[in-house]
Amino acid sequence: MALQNHRPMSKSGTSQPESAQILLVEDNPGDVRLTKEAFKQGRIENDLYVVSDGVEALDFLSQRGDYEDAPRPDLILLDLNLPGKDGEEVLEELKDDPTLRSIPVIVLTSSRAEEDVVKSYELHANAYLTKPVDPDEFIETVRAFEKFWFSVVRLPPEVDN
């Protein structure tokens, strides 16, 4: 599922030709809807792909099964509380794979537990965001994340192995 927004501007003021490829790993339909809404309101053109469990996420990233034509995401938004393989297991497998480990992973979860924060960073998450309960605050959090990761941060190129 793709969301089309405005093209990001380069330093020279011209539009960049490619949109950001984002993989959202989230099983809560309400949070998926709010995330889509936040990106729709944002300024960065993006293609948002959604999978609802850890096994699907790894299939998408490895281009297996139904996902053989899936693009390599520029960034992954990962919930920890997933059915089947949970977010920590996905993060661990992702960061153990030399072809995938350079993709930034942002944990976006409802967990405020300190042990989840510590464990996520130990597994090399690039950031840990706690989902606000209020829908407007949730949208603002995603928009702030979007602005930072796609306007300020320089993302790594794809690694060929």
Side-chain angles (χ1 to χ4, degrees):
M1 181 171 294
L3 297 179
Q4 300 300 317
N5 293 328
H6 306 286
R7 292 198 181 275
M9 299 302 278
S10 69
K11 287 186 180 185
S12 65
T14 59
S15 289
Q16 295 176 358
E18 294 184 24
S19 60
Q21 306 295 307
I22 303 168
L23 176 61
L24 173 62
V25 186
E26 174 61 68
D27 65 319
N28 181 318
D31 289 347
V32 169
R33 184 181 50 74
L34 286 172
T35 304
K36 286 180 180 180
E37 181 62 31
F39 280 121
K40 195 180 294 184
Q41 292 177 15
R43 289 189 161 77
I44 307 300
E45 182 169 319
N46 63 76
D47 295 319
L48 181 65
Y49 299 88
V50 180
V51 296
S52 59
D53 65 50
V55 173
E56 272 188 285
L58 293 169
D59 285 349
F60 184 100
L61 292 163
S62 300
Q63 297 176 312
R64 292 188 297 245
D66 293 340
Y67 301 104
E68 65 183 42
D69 294 325
R72 176 187 171 91
D74 295 307
L75 189 112
I76 300 165
L77 284 172
L78 178 65
D79 187 19
L80 291 181
N81 305 310
L82 298 168
K85 242 182 230 287
D86 68 22
E88 286 182 356
E89 292 171 294
V90 171
L91 186 55
E92 187 166 18
E93 286 190 40
L94 177 66
K95 294 302 183 177
D96 281 344
D97 185 327
T99 62
L100 300 173
R101 74 170 54 122
S102 66
I103 301 171
V105 177
I106 312 311
V107 173
L108 181 62
T109 186
S110 55
S111 174
R112 295 183 181 276
E114 192 170 313
E115 60 267 18
D116 287 341
V117 176
V118 170
K119 181 71 171 173
S120 294
Y121 282 115
E122 285 175 350
L123 293 172
H124 306 288
N126 297 84
Y128 190 101
L129 300 174
T130 303
K131 297 176 193 172
V133 176
D134 178 74
D136 291 333
E137 287 179 26
F138 185 99
I139 288 172
E140 277 306 309
T141 297
V142 172
R143 288 186 65 200
F145 141 83
E146 175 195 41
K147 183 176 180 183
F148 176 75
W149 282 96
F150 293 110
S151 297
V152 178
V153 172
R154 183 169 176 192
L155 296 171
E158 185 171 343
V159 177
D160 293 325
N161 280 11

